[in-house]
Amino acid sequence: MEINKLERYWLIAVGITLGAFVAATIVAVTVFGIRLPAPVERIDPQRLDQTIFAKPGVRKIADNRYEAVIVAKSWAFDAGPEAGTPAVLRFPRGSQVTFYVTSKDVMHGFQIEKHTLNLELVPGQVARASTTFNRPGTYHIICNHYCGAGHQVMYGVIIVE
């Protein structure tokens, strides 16, 4: 089978591009630990009062280890009455925080600026991710998935002291 010279160049270019993509994926998974998010469990969004999301908030589980249970809803992150509106969460520097987040109504996003935590919140699914806050400062929690007319006011604040 004869292949035209230009077709051969295109096949080589496609092969190099695919090889670079596979290499970048392997490096991302093995070196940087990047994983696809997966739901922790499924729940009925109409019955959040029967789950851990009935009392959202921050719980200290060990030295410098916390769990934050947060409900995303139109157009706020509910992290419990102590957190207020918008939610303000405080952690000491060096804290490792595991976030358990779900959506009560529509799809939302949950991203913490300057960290690699970025979750997609689907009603009926619990998303979980952990991060460590090594630097003091103020970090915003933003909804990065357009969720409706009040999307632009949906945010929270994390203060690392």
Side-chain angles (χ1 to χ4, degrees), residues 111-129:
Q111 181 177 3
I112 300 174
E113 69 176 354
K114 299 181 183 174
H115 289 78
T116 58
L117 198 143
N118 185 3
L119 301 170
E120 183 171 291
L121 308 177
V122 178
Q125 293 185 0
V126 178
R128 178 186 65 196

Side-chain angles (χ1 to χ4, degrees), residues 62-75:
D63 285 343
N64 263 1
R65 295 192 63 210
Y66 297 85
E67 286 182 347
V69 176
I70 298 173
V71 177
K73 57 186 180 183
S74 299
W75 292 279

Side-chain angles (χ1 to χ4, degrees), residues 19-90:
F21 177 75
V22 169
T25 302
I26 290 170
V27 169
V29 170
T30 58
V31 176
F32 299 112
I34 295 173
R35 302 279 190 272
L36 293 176
V40 175
E41 66 176 284
R42 298 187 186 279
I43 58 173
D44 183 351
Q46 302 302 317
R47 297 182 180 176
L48 292 183
D49 58 336
Q50 299 172 5
T51 66
I52 63 169
F53 297 99
K55 294 183 180 177
V58 176
R59 297 170 188 87
K60 184 173 183 175
I61 57 174
D63 285 343
N64 263 1
R65 295 192 63 210
Y66 297 85
E67 286 182 347
V69 176
I70 298 173
V71 177
K73 57 186 180 183
S74 299
W75 292 279
F77 292 107
D78 183 1
E82 298 86 21
T85 304
V88 178
L89 307 174
R90 295 178 184 275

Side-chain angles (χ1 to χ4, degrees), residues 81-153:
E82 298 86 21
T85 304
V88 178
L89 307 174
R90 295 178 184 275
F91 300 106
R93 186 175 70 180
S95 296
Q96 180 182 10
V97 182
T98 301
F99 292 90
Y100 294 88
V101 192
T102 192
S103 172
K104 186 176 184 177
D105 43 28
V106 297
M107 289 186 65
H108 294 282
F110 184 89
Q111 181 177 3
I112 300 174
E113 69 176 354
K114 299 181 183 174
H115 289 78
T116 58
L117 198 143
N118 185 3
L119 301 170
E120 183 171 291
L121 308 177
V122 178
Q125 293 185 0
V126 178
R128 178 186 65 196
S130 297
T131 191
T132 302
F133 295 99
N134 290 321
R135 294 185 177 166
T138 300
Y139 306 99
H140 289 93
I141 303 169
I142 58 172
C143 176
N144 59 6
H145 187 99
Y146 181 73
C147 55
H151 167 73
Q152 72 278 2
V153 297

